[in-house]
Amino acid sequence: MIRQRRHPAATLRTTRLEAFTDGVFAIAATLLVLDLTTHDLGDVSTDTQMWSALGDMGYLFLNFALSFVLLCLLWMVHVQQFEHVARVDTTMVWLNNGRLLFVVLVPFATNLTTEYSAFLAARLAMPVTFFLAILFSWLQWQWAVSRRDVMLPDLTAADAAAYGRSSLSALIIAGVVVVLAPFIGSAAFLLFVLDGVFTRVLHGKSD
């Protein structure tokens, strides 16, 4: 007889959690476009005026694209992590809900940053929202690692630590973005291109 692995009664399969998370990410990404569709182009009667009006929307297009890409990256991290997560418990579910809380705030934060960029609070809206979403993602992974025998049974300790370093790298960069955003605006998010380099630095320090 083939012996089946028994799971603690307090844990659940990940199927419904993954489906719910995918749905929330999809809705948040879709809502980003509302800033574009509700923007008033003003009085347009010629091609020249149309191009001029679209050009005036440049900052709006930039923040839309930036938020969409960052949401996609957050979703990719979720997908990569849950390729290895076999079971979840209540704490894991609520940490995931915490991440989604800030994911659904992304369209609102993007609108604030775009429409009220003259104000400090507005310039911080996007960076802080993404920082908190990444923070919950990191906490969620740390919780899974702490219960690796149940939640990550097919992942070695070394591989789990490697994923953790990647999440920590993104978290640190997001913190730096929060600090720099009041001074250089959305350009601070360009620091995320250094994520791979910083992950390797953390890997070297942990050896």
Side-chain angles (χ1 to χ4, degrees), residues 135-156:
L135 173 62
F136 272 91
S137 180
W138 178 75
L139 290 173
Q140 185 182 38
W141 184 252
Q142 293 304 114
W143 182 261
V145 170
S146 70
R147 286 149 181 77
R148 187 168 58 86
D149 57 329
V150 174
M151 296 186 183
L152 306 168
D154 300 322
L155 201 63
T156 66

Side-chain angles (χ1 to χ4, degrees), residues 3-4 7 12 33 38 43 58 64 70 84 100 102 115 136 140-141 153-155 161 165 177 198 203:
R3 299 185 64 182
Q4 297 182 340
H7 300 286
L12 306 166
V33 81
T38 59
D43 186 16
F64 162 76
L70 290 171
H84 305 287
L100 296 181
F102 296 103
E115 297 294 332
F136 272 91
Q140 185 182 38
W141 184 252
D154 300 322
L155 201 63
R165 284 191 294 270
V177 170
F198 202 67
H203 177 71

Side-chain angles (χ1 to χ4, degrees), residues 35 51 60 64 82-84 99 111 130 133 139 160 168 178 207:
D35 279 351
W51 285 115
L60 194 153
F64 162 76
F82 273 80
E83 282 293 309
H84 305 287
R99 171 172 55 178
N111 177 264
F130 278 108
L139 290 173
L168 180 59
V178 171
D207 290 341

Side-chain angles (χ1 to χ4, degrees), residues 15-31 71 75 78-79 96 100 103-104:
T15 306
R16 298 186 71 176
L17 179 65
E18 292 181 71
F20 176 65
T21 302
D22 287 345
V24 171
F25 269 100
I27 292 170
T30 302
L31 289 177
L71 274 179
W75 177 76
H78 157 73
V79 171
N96 191 70
L100 296 181
V103 166
V104 298

Side-chain angles (χ1 to χ4, degrees), residues 4 6 8 30 45 63 66 85-86 104-105 108 125 136 159 163 171 188:
Q4 297 182 340
R6 297 188 174 211
T30 302
S45 57
N63 281 340
L66 182 60
V85 177
V104 298
L105 279 175
F108 172 70
F136 272 91
D159 287 339
Y163 277 102
L171 180 63

Side-chain angles (χ1 to χ4, degrees), residues 77-142:
V77 169
H78 157 73
V79 171
Q80 291 168 356
Q81 289 180 349
F82 273 80
E83 282 293 309
H84 305 287
V85 177
R87 308 283 294 184
V88 295
D89 61 6
T90 301
T91 300
M92 186 80 160
V93 170
W94 280 105
L95 286 172
N96 191 70
N97 290 341
R99 171 172 55 178
L100 296 181
L101 170 67
F102 296 103
V103 166
V104 298
L105 279 175
V106 167
F108 172 70
T110 303
N111 177 264
L112 278 182
T113 300
T114 302
E115 297 294 332
Y116 302 96
S117 58
F119 301 99
L120 176 62
R123 294 196 299 274
L124 284 172
M126 273 177 62
V128 170
T129 299
F130 278 108
F131 172 81
L132 292 172
I134 294 170
L135 173 62
F136 272 91
S137 180
W138 178 75
L139 290 173
Q140 185 182 38
W141 184 252
Q142 293 304 114

